[in-house]
Amino acid sequence: MIDFRATSQLCLEGLNYNQRAQWPEYPCSYPIDAPCLNRGASRPAKPTAECPHQYGFYPSLKATPDRCGNYRMCVEGRSLEMACPVGLAFNGVTGWCDWPEKVASCNVDGRFSVIVIGL
C-alpha cells in the first residue's frame, strides 16, 4: 500500500504469496508454506551457481546417503550450509528436516551423520 492505495507487488523469486499472512507478518513465504494452488505460476527461476532459486531450502551439495542431515539455505542466490538437528535428515521434497525413514536418499540403518559446520 502506498499513500493508502492498494498496489500490486511480486514476491521475491523463490517465494510465494501467503494468503494467510496477517499484518505485520511478511506476506511472502517458502513454497512449502504457501503453495500456488490454482493461483497461477510462480515467477521464473533465476538460478545461480549455488542455488536453483534465489530463496529456498535445498539438499546440500555435500550430501551423501550417509550424510543426509545437511542442506543449503539460499538467500539472494547465495547458499549457506545448514544442518538438521541430530537424528534428522533433510527432506528435499518437503524442504524440512524429517525422520530419516521418510527420506528416500538417506541411509536408514541408523548410522548416518551430518557435516558439522564450524561455529
Side-chain angles (χ1 to χ4, degrees):
M1 185 172 293
I2 299 174
D3 293 329
F4 300 100
R5 282 188 251 157
T7 60
S8 178
Q9 297 185 9
L10 295 173
C11 291
L12 297 169
E13 193 274 314
L15 302 177
N16 293 339
Y17 175 67
N18 185 350
Q19 295 175 313
R20 295 184 313 254
Q22 295 182 350
W23 176 260
E25 192 177 3
Y26 186 62
C28 300
S29 299
Y30 292 102
I32 193 69
D33 297 324
C36 281
L37 304 173
N38 301 319
R39 291 192 285 150
S42 298
R43 292 176 73 177
K46 293 182 182 176
T48 65
E50 301 174 29
C51 300
H53 291 276
Q54 294 290 303
Y55 290 85
F57 298 97
Y58 306 97
S60 171
L61 296 174
K62 302 173 186 175
T64 67
D66 294 326
R67 293 181 184 240
C68 50
N70 294 84
Y71 62 96
R72 293 175 287 159
M73 178 176 73
C74 292
V75 177
E76 294 182 357
R78 293 187 175 163
S79 70
L80 291 125
E81 285 289 322
M82 308 291 283
C84 292
V86 175
L88 297 180
F90 180 74
N91 188 328
V93 175
T94 65
W96 298 103
C97 295
D98 208 340
W99 297 112
E101 303 83 38
K102 294 184 176 184
V103 180
S105 62
C106 189
N107 180 354
V108 293
D109 69 2
R111 291 180 280 147
F112 77 92
S113 62
V114 297
I115 302 167
V116 178
I117 313 296
L119 299 176

